[in-house]
Amino acid sequence: MSPDPILTVRGAVHAYGGKPVLRDVDLTLRPGEIYALLGPNGAGKTTLIRTICGRIRPDGGTVLLNGRDPARVPAARAGLGLVPQEIALYPNLTVAENLQTFAALAGTPRKAVAAAVRRALELTRTVDRAHVPIKQLSGGYQRRANIAAAIVHEPSLLILDEPTVGVDIDAREAVDAVIRGLRDLGVAVLMTTHDLEQAGALADRVGFLREGRMVLEGEPKALVAEAFGAQMEILVHLAAEADPAGEARLAGEGLERTPRSLVWSRLDADGYAAAERLDKRLRAAGLAPNEIRVREPSLANLFTLLAERKQAA
Ligand SMILES: Nc1ncnc2c1ncn2[C@@H]1O[C@H](COP(=O)(O)OP(=O)(O)O)[C@@H](O)[C@H]1O
Ligand SMILES: [Mg+2]
């Protein structure tokens, strides 16, 4: 049997000045689970996080953190660590000095502070930077120090708002490894991210929030399999930017632009065979690709599909 949830949100409803922002949102997190909250800007992700942190009392519904409502019982918030999107540390203090300060603010007994700081440094792999001022650290180390500050009081739920913004690719892996390590210790992790690749690789479950509604929720692999079945994604990397006629031709082949420049994609149940036919036709049309890749669809494809469904609705 799965353990009792750390966090239960039921029927959360909230509006700002009459504008609905959360509409009947349910969310449950259990120990040792990483949950990625996805959705376009303005979907309500940060509002949901504020509600969970007890900073907003929702117009309707309930939030229980370890069985208590954080908006009514401030002590319940001790079970929670928040890593805000902006680095919220004292720039002139070292990592260790910051952690000592945060431990004291969280009410850690003085005798326990040194051990708590040591533990947070180890869990975030920042021991080697303990005595470096925050302002001298790279973006990746600053992010990990920010996580360390959020876990120094040993919360059972860690919330991260966009943890990889301002972090380069290599450092991102280190941030992911820290999040996984905490999960393995039984911490429940709730994160928002724009990085669908990160969400797919890291999250045990994802939820898509759209206009304040949770429109889809589940395990990344299962959601992708359910949406796309045996279809594969074909990625066409063009040698050069297409002119308007070329673009029309690409669209006629069912290809859509991706966020990466020169890369177009489509889904096809015929996978590799379809890619080969497509390659021939594009070459004949003077649109020779540099590279064609065939791969399993990802959360990014699912995200696009959800956005298209929305437009069609
Ligand atoms: N303090 C506020 N007052 C009024 N409207 C707000 C406030 N905070 C957020 N909103 C609005 O609520 C909606 C959801 O915002 P937010 O929760 O920040 O979304 P997300 O984090 O998914 O981008 C947006 O339309 C935003 O403009
Ligand atoms: Mg936000």
Side-chain angles (χ1 to χ4, degrees):
M1 222 185 66
S2 47
D4 284 343
I6 284 176
L7 171 72
T8 312
V9 179
R10 285 274 170 272
V13 173
H14 196 66
Y16 285 118
K19 178 178 173 280
V21 175
L22 296 179
R23 310 178 199 222
D24 198 18
V25 175
D26 292 341
L27 178 64
T28 301
L29 253 86
R30 295 177 192 284
E33 180 173 48
I34 299 176
Y35 188 106
L37 192 59
L38 309 171
N41 269 333
K45 300 180 298 293
T46 297
T47 304
L48 182 57
I49 285 180
R50 288 208 189 108
T51 304
I52 292 167
C53 294
R55 296 184 184 183
I56 291 175
R57 190 176 292 191
D59 298 337
T62 54
V63 176
L64 289 178
L65 184 62
N66 293 312
R68 296 185 295 183
D69 178 350
R72 288 165 210 272
V73 186
R77 296 180 210 172
L80 182 137
L82 174 65
V83 186
Q85 184 175 332
E86 304 296 325
I87 301 293
L89 299 168
Y90 300 99
N92 296 315
L93 298 186
T94 68
V95 178
E97 287 163 351
N98 267 279
L99 298 184
Q100 285 154 10
T101 307
F102 279 86
L105 286 173
T108 306
R110 263 175 64 186
K111 280 185 184 160
V113 167
V117 169
R118 181 82 200 167
R119 177 180 178 278
L121 289 168
E122 281 169 0
L123 287 174
T124 55
R125 306 172 189 202
T126 50
V127 176
D128 57 336
R129 298 290 193 281
H131 303 296
V132 178
I134 297 297
K135 64 180 180 191
Q136 289 176 19
L137 294 176
S138 66
Y141 265 103
Q142 287 190 1
R143 184 64 60 180
R144 275 145 66 196
N146 219 18
I147 297 174
I151 62 164
V152 77
H153 62 296
E154 300 195 28
S156 49
L157 172 63
L158 178 67
I159 301 181
L160 306 107
D161 208 352
E162 299 286 349
T164 46
V165 166
V167 176
D168 66 36
I169 299 268
D170 288 340
R172 213 171 280 186
E173 309 243 315
V175 171
D176 286 2
V178 166
I179 294 173
R180 282 198 189 92
L182 291 164
R183 184 261 312 271
D184 294 344
L185 287 175
V187 176
V189 178
L190 173 63
M191 56 191 272
T192 71
T193 183
H194 277 78
D195 185 342
L196 296 168
E197 222 162 284
Q198 183 195 30
L202 200 54
D204 300 301
R205 280 193 301 145
V206 296
F208 287 90
L209 206 58
R210 192 176 70 202
E211 292 175 0
R213 251 186 255 286
M214 196 70 91
V215 291
L216 193 65
E217 187 181 59
E219 294 170 30
K221 280 216 164 75
L223 289 177
V224 168
E226 194 179 320
F228 300 112
Q231 293 187 91
M232 298 292 276
E233 182 182 27
I234 301 173
L235 288 166
V236 176
H237 198 141
L238 297 175
E241 201 61 69
D243 60 14
E247 285 184 3
R249 182 65 208 255
L250 292 163
E253 291 287 353
L255 289 160
E256 291 179 359
R257 248 178 220 291
T258 70
R260 287 170 55 202
S261 74
L262 302 180
V263 180
W264 293 62
S265 93
R266 62 169 287 182
L267 292 161
D268 200 303
D270 225 6
Y272 292 94
E276 196 177 343
R277 293 193 295 268
L278 184 60
D279 185 45
K280 286 206 179 100
R281 286 198 300 273
L282 291 178
R283 281 174 198 286
L287 290 161
N290 256 349
E291 184 191 8
I292 293 196
R293 285 178 62 198
V294 179
R295 66 175 188 189
E296 296 210 348
S298 65
L299 281 180
N301 299 103
L302 187 53
F303 203 73
T304 307
L305 186 70
L306 286 173
E308 282 167 358
R309 264 188 211 154
K310 153 84 174 118
Q311 277 162 14

